Each structure stands twice: as structure tokens, then as C-alpha cells.
């Protein structure tokens, strides 16, 4: 961990989705457990704590998943029109092998029983809760100098089988977690011209959706 504790705003500013900068070394188990403890402190609907974390470090299993991701990447590339494909081609979308550690975050909708306080109206709040655990882990990783990359190029069925998750447990993310050589300043997708960050002013609405900066709805 860096000597000076990192301000939370600084961690938010520095956080990046990491694909290319993993050193190839495996994360220290004590550090990994601190990250998982941070994830486990997330808020959750009805205090269900619907997440679990499957740590994958076996080389063969990493290779199997990496090959599956590579195929999903090819399928996506093939679905693109020519100009978008040319932009997409140089973009790396995972560091499954190089990170040395995959953390599969799962969501269990049955956790908390039939009467989940607060999920009776919005069912998605269950998945939202598990995603908050991911964000906790991601920010804690920044403070530890560890890189995290979220991979979603996979079939849910394939990953469910790979980790042996029993129904109704769903894998909701594969996180590549490992030491990094240097933190990237600019998001990869921005650097490659795929998409760029929206200005905050465009995302903030006053009173009504579409009313920005006190003006009339757009
Ligand atoms: C739900 C989710 C799924 C994502 N899946 C992938 C992925 O499969 N491959 C990838 O390279 N990045 C993935 N990302 C990372 C985004 O591309 C990244 O967050 C975005 O480009 C902004 O960059 P930054 O996180 O460095 O700010 C995912 C992010 C989220 C939140």
C-alpha cells in the first residue's frame, strides 16, 4: 500500500480499467483479501449481501476463459461496420492471462429469502448491490496500487459452468486483478477514439429530465 493513505476523490480520479499494464506478477494474497474485505463492506438492498467472490488463479482455467473471451471479441468485431471495426481492432479488451488473478463476482437472488426489504419494488436493486461491491473493490485497488479490469465479453452460461455456480447464482463480472507497471491517465477507449467522456453539465438535470442549468427542457 502507498505510504500516504489516498484521498477518496484522488482514488476516484485515478481509477482506470486496466488491460495492458499488468506486470504478470500475481497479487499478494493479503492484499487480495483486503480488496475483498472492502468489496464485502458494500451497501446492499435489505442487507442481503448478495455477492460472492470466486478467485481463479489456476493457469489452465485462466487460459480456458481467455480463449472464450478471445472468441467473444472476434464475434463482436465481426458484427461491426467497417469504420467501427477499424477503430476497435487495436483495442485490448482484457488482461485475463497477464493479471494472473480473476475474481468472478456472483449475484445470488435467493439471498435474503422471499421478503427482501426494498427489492419488492425494484428487482434490479439486487444486482445493483453486487455492482457496488465491485466499485468498492476497484477503488480500494487504486489505493493499493493494484490494477483492475472488468471483462464482460463472455457467455453467462459458459462462466457459470466454469466456476460451478449453482442455480440461481449468476456471475455478473470477471475482474482481472493484479500488480500494474504504470497507471494509465486516459481511458483506453478514449485514447483509441471509440468514445469519450461526457461533460458533467450534460449529465446533470434540474427538477425535470432534460432541464439543464435551470434552462428549459431540451
Ligand atoms: C459493466 C462493465 C463492463 C465492462 N466490460 C469491459 C470489457 O469486457 N472489456 C473492457 O476492456 N472493458 C470493460 N469495461 C471497462 C470500460 O470499458 C471502462 O470502464 C470505460 O471505457 C471507461 O474507462 P475507465 O474505467 O478507465 O475510466 C467494462 C466496464 C463496466 C462498468
Amino acid at each position: 500500500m502507498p505510504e500516504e493513505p489516498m484521498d477518496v476523490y484522488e482514488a476516484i480520479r485515478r481509477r482506470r480499467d486496466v488491460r495492458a499494464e499488468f506486470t504478470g506478477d500475481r497479487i499478494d494474497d493479503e492484499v487480495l483479501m483486503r480488496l475483498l474485505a472492502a468489496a464485502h463492506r458494500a451497501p446492499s438492498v435489505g442487507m442481503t449481501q448478495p455477492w460472492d467472490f470466486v478467485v481463479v488463479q489456476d493457469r489452465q482455467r485462466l487460459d480456458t476463459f481467455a480463449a472464450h473471451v478471445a472468441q467473444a471479441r472476434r464475434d463482436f468485431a465481426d458484427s461491426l461496420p467497417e469504420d467501427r471495426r477499424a477503430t476497435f481492432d487495436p483495442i485490448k479488451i482484457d488482461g485475463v492471462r497477464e493479471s494472473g488473478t480473476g475474481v468472478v463476482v456472483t449475484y445470488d437472488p435467493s439471498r435474503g429469502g422471499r421478503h427482501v426489504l426494498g427489492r419488492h419494488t425494484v428487482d434490479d436493486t439486487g444486482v445493483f448491490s453486487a455492482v457496488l461491491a465491485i466499485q468498492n473493490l476497484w477503488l480500494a485497488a487504486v489505493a493499493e496500487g493494484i490494477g483492475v479490469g472488468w471483462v464482460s465479453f463472455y457467455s453467462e452460461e459458459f462462466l457459470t459452468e466454469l466456476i460451478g455456480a449453482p442455480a440461481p447464482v449468476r456471475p455478473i463480472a470477471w475482474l482481472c486483478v493484479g500488480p500494474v507497471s504504470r497507471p494509465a491517465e486516459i481511458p483506453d477507449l478514449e485514447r483509441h477514439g471509440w468514445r469519450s467522456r461526457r461533460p458533467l453539465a450534460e449529465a446533470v438535470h434540474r427538477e425535470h429530465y432534460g432541464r439543464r442549468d435551470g434552462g428549459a427542457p431540451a
Side-chain angles (χ1 to χ4, degrees), residues 35-58:
L35 299 187
L36 296 177
H40 194 55
R41 284 200 172 272
S44 59
V45 66
M47 218 175 163
T48 46
Q49 303 152 79
W51 49 74
D52 285 276
F53 311 107
V54 181
V55 178
V56 181
Q57 293 179 318
D58 177 72

Side-chain angles (χ1 to χ4, degrees), residues 12-84:
I12 289 168
R13 196 189 64 75
R14 284 203 209 169
R15 187 208 52 78
R16 282 279 72 78
D17 186 85
V18 176
R19 305 96 192 241
E21 293 86 7
F22 292 110
T23 60
D25 296 330
R26 186 185 278 184
I27 185 174
D28 184 85
D29 210 52
E30 245 179 66
V31 178
L32 177 62
M33 288 313 293
R34 280 203 294 271
L35 299 187
L36 296 177
H40 194 55
R41 284 200 172 272
S44 59
V45 66
M47 218 175 163
T48 46
Q49 303 152 79
W51 49 74
D52 285 276
F53 311 107
V54 181
V55 178
V56 181
Q57 293 179 318
D58 177 72
R59 270 283 140 212
Q60 214 174 333
R61 291 157 71 70
L62 292 174
D63 285 348
T64 302
F65 186 65
H68 175 76
V69 168
Q71 183 57 51
R73 186 188 189 287
R74 279 193 294 274
D75 292 344
F76 180 66
D78 289 344
S79 76
L80 294 171
E82 221 172 283
D83 59 327
R84 289 307 265 166

Side-chain angles (χ1 to χ4, degrees), residues 15-17 19 92-93 150-153 187 189 197:
R15 187 208 52 78
R16 282 279 72 78
D17 186 85
R19 305 96 192 241
K92 192 166 161 58
I93 55 94
W150 185 324
V151 180
S152 54
F153 279 62
L189 298 194
R197 196 169 289 287

Side-chain angles (χ1 to χ4, degrees), residues 156-167:
E156 198 173 307
E157 204 184 337
F158 179 91
L159 187 52
T160 301
E161 200 166 305
L162 186 73
I163 61 164

Side-chain angles (χ1 to χ4, degrees), residues 145-205:
I146 293 293
V148 171
W150 185 324
V151 180
S152 54
F153 279 62
Y154 60 77
S155 123
E156 198 173 307
E157 204 184 337
F158 179 91
L159 187 52
T160 301
E161 200 166 305
L162 186 73
I163 61 164
V169 174
R170 291 177 56 193
I172 61 161
W174 176 292
L175 305 177
C176 303
V177 180
V180 280
S181 48
R182 58 185 164 82
E185 270 288 319
I186 302 170
D188 260 15
L189 298 194
E190 192 161 348
R191 196 163 54 82
H192 287 283
W194 181 262
R195 270 186 85 77
S196 51
R197 196 169 289 287
R198 299 163 64 209
L200 174 63
E202 198 183 298
V204 178
H205 308 241

